[in-house]
Amino acid sequence: MNIDTADIKAIEEIVATVERTQRAKDAEGFLALFHPDALWTTAHGKVLIGFDAIAEFTRTVLPAASWDGDVTYEAIHIEFLRPDVAAVKIRQIYHATEGDSEGSPLYVMTKQADGTWLLHAGQNTEVRV
């Protein structure tokens, strides 16, 4: 499969935007990254099906999150399942004075007709040491 480096850069930018919006606790910026038919599972196992469920949860939880906002996201592996579908493995670290915690999200992203990439499915898993 011939992969366009512009697609890799666009996917990496989505991951960077996830990081920026999480740090800022910016629910609307985060929600702008989602496909209308997205499904999302949080690190604690809450299943959110469809944009409305994701939005309701995000608008409630993200602004009120108790962590200090210092979080990093890194796309550590991008696997194109088709030219317009990518599985993206993320390394997510929440930095806190009492110690770091890690998540291991998997995003499935889809390329839209206009060339933009959106989060279509996500499964986050807390990494326990």
Side-chain angles (χ1 to χ4, degrees):
M1 182 177 345
N2 237 354
I3 302 305
D4 186 347
T5 56
D7 286 327
I8 293 170
K9 290 190 182 303
I11 289 168
E12 289 172 340
E13 182 54 36
I14 294 291
V15 174
T17 303
V18 169
E19 178 180 306
R20 280 193 304 275
T21 58
Q22 292 291 305
R23 282 178 177 243
K25 299 180 185 177
D26 174 9
E28 298 311 312
F30 180 66
L31 291 170
L33 303 173
F34 282 87
H35 187 277
D37 297 325
L39 60 104
W40 198 255
T41 303
T42 71
H44 301 291
K46 183 162 183 68
V47 177
L48 306 166
I49 298 174
F51 182 83
D52 290 344
I54 295 166
E56 180 181 354
F57 177 83
T58 300
R59 288 177 179 138
T60 300
V61 173
L62 186 57
S66 61
W67 52 276
D68 63 14
D70 190 13
V71 61
T72 57
Y73 286 73
E74 177 187 4
I76 58 173
H77 183 76
I78 299 171
E79 183 74 30
F80 286 88
L81 308 176
R82 298 185 337 201
D84 62 342
V85 179
V88 184
K89 194 62 188 159
I90 307 295
R91 182 167 189 239
Q92 168 195 64
I93 310 261
Y94 287 95
H95 304 280
T97 54
E98 63 273 1
D100 294 350
S101 61
E102 186 172 345
S104 182
L106 173 65
Y107 299 160
V108 176
M109 300 173 82
T110 54
K111 187 175 184 179
Q112 307 310 294
D114 67 359
T116 61
W117 285 87
L118 294 175
L119 297 169
H120 210 119
Q123 168 72 50
N124 197 355
T125 304
E126 180 182 1
V127 176
R128 294 187 182 199
V129 187

